[in-house]
Amino acid sequence: MMEPEASSSRMPITRRHPLYPFLVLYALVGLMFGPIGHQVSEDMPEDRTHPYFPDQVWPYAVLAMAVLIGLGLMALITQPLLQPGQPADPRAAIIPLPEWYFRSPSSVPHSSRPSSSRWGWSSG
Amino acid sequence: MGLQTAIVDWLDERFELADAVDAELYRPVPNYASAGYRYLGVVAVILVVVELITGFLLGLYYVPDGAGNPAPAFTSVVFIQHTAYLGWLIRGMHFWGANLLIVVALLHMTFVFWNGGYRAPRELNWMVGVLVFLVIILFSFTGSLLPWDANEYLARGREMSIISGSGVLPSGVSEFIRYAVQGGPVVGPATLLRFFMAHVFLLPALMAMLLYIHFRIGRKQGPAEPA
């Protein structure tokens, strides 16, 4: 990091300055939205790289078509499986409670033992 | 053609558009990035876009109201499935796209891991990718309740019991989690609305932000060399 010169009129905010964490957050915004900067692949020899367009891009279109056709076919074949079943009815729902052996002894009074109609591993 | 050239020239004078496009199109890419398994990330992105488009189309007819029996949420899904033009196709593609997205994202993660993409200096991007996967799972979890049919309803109720740590965590904590997530003692209309809002607003925003960071770091660092 560049240290500001003593004669400079800028505030000497270094890494130890209490405001520094906030400035890092501010700088992160610039880092995320600013130019991408130097990329690792730019350092590689030319014979080990290829241009993004068209060499790398053309399979994208093929893959997109394959995905669309595949999903369409799956939707067509499995159409009977995706029919809505019975509607949900929250009024018939019972508040689920753990079985008595999962609860602490103090929280299992004689009358609160869950009945078999509750959700869970019912013993009947 | 004249209009297109005029627009491009107008933009180029202000934003150096032509240089930016050239830099993007003809940037060097390592040869090993052309391996078949490297395209799994692209397939995942394609599936995300498909989910976004089909989800928008489903949202035109879906009613996130779970009150009554049958509830408007359920009847709107029946309408989409049987009456809306090609509704069955859109719903089927959304359903299968969601399932395929989980599989493809897992495969993508497997190959990235295999190539050492989790090691320095790419560990941050690996963590962001794991977060993206968690968001995909949350998408699946929240979306599966929306049809409001009995099977999904009971399944989500059971999962909610697991999430709240019922019987494991202290009852106060468990109840708090349950109320925070489902908005009441049982899975009901309030839960449906919460899941809908998360599925349609919160999670897409989170996903967009995480994917932006993921791509940004990925572009900067490039793909990991084969193991």
Side-chain angles (χ1 to χ4, degrees), chain B residues 5 18 32 102 121 123 145 154 159 171 179 205 211:
Chain B
T5 312
Y32 55 76
I102 295 175
E123 69 273 40
L145 183 69
L154 294 170
E159 287 166 7
S171 61
Y179 269 77
L211 282 182

Side-chain angles (χ1 to χ4, degrees), chain A residues 31-32 34-36 38-41 47-50 52-53 56 78 82-83 85-86 88 90-91 93 98 102 120, chain B residues 25 27-31 33-34 39 69 74 82 91 96 148-150 153-154 158 166-167 212 216 219-221:
Chain A
L31 279 174
M32 292 314 294
I36 199 85
H38 185 77
Q39 297 172 46
V40 172
S41 56
D47 60 327
R48 290 185 59 203
T49 64
H50 57 271
Y52 180 70
F53 180 84
Q56 189 75 14
T78 62
L82 289 179
Q83 300 299 322
Q86 294 296 312
R91 289 170 299 184
F102 280 130
Chain B
L25 283 183
R27 64 191 164 85
V29 178
N31 288 339
S34 298
Y39 285 94
N69 188 23
F74 179 81
H82 295 295
R91 183 165 174 251
W96 287 113
W148 206 239
D149 68 350
Y153 176 84
L154 294 170
R158 167 54 66 194
S166 181
Y212 177 81
R216 183 92 186 171
R219 172 67 61 79
K220 177 77 179 168
Q221 296 175 331

Side-chain angles (χ1 to χ4, degrees), chain B residues 25-88:
Chain B
L25 283 183
Y26 305 111
R27 64 191 164 85
V29 178
N31 288 339
Y32 55 76
S34 298
Y37 64 85
R38 301 272 186 179
Y39 285 94
L40 282 166
V42 175
V43 175
V45 173
I46 291 169
L47 285 167
V48 168
V49 173
V50 168
E51 290 301 286
L52 191 72
I53 294 169
T54 54
F56 172 79
L57 294 172
L58 290 173
L60 296 177
Y61 293 104
Y62 181 71
V63 183
D65 181 5
N69 188 23
F74 179 81
T75 50
S76 66
V77 171
V78 172
F79 178 83
I80 290 168
Q81 187 72 24
H82 295 295
T83 311
Y85 180 64
L86 292 180
W88 62 269

Side-chain angles (χ1 to χ4, degrees), chain A residues 99-113, chain B residues 170-171:
Chain A
E99 293 291 355
W100 61 269
Y101 43 80
F102 280 130
R103 300 163 71 185
S104 64
S106 60
S107 67
V108 191
H110 30 275
S111 60
S112 70
R113 192 166 161 162
Chain B
S171 61

Side-chain angles (χ1 to χ4, degrees), chain B residues 102-120:
Chain B
I102 295 175
V103 175
V104 170
L106 267 177
L107 283 173
H108 174 56
M109 289 173 76
T110 306
F111 280 111
V112 169
F113 188 83
W114 180 45
N115 278 326
Y118 61 91
R119 289 196 290 248

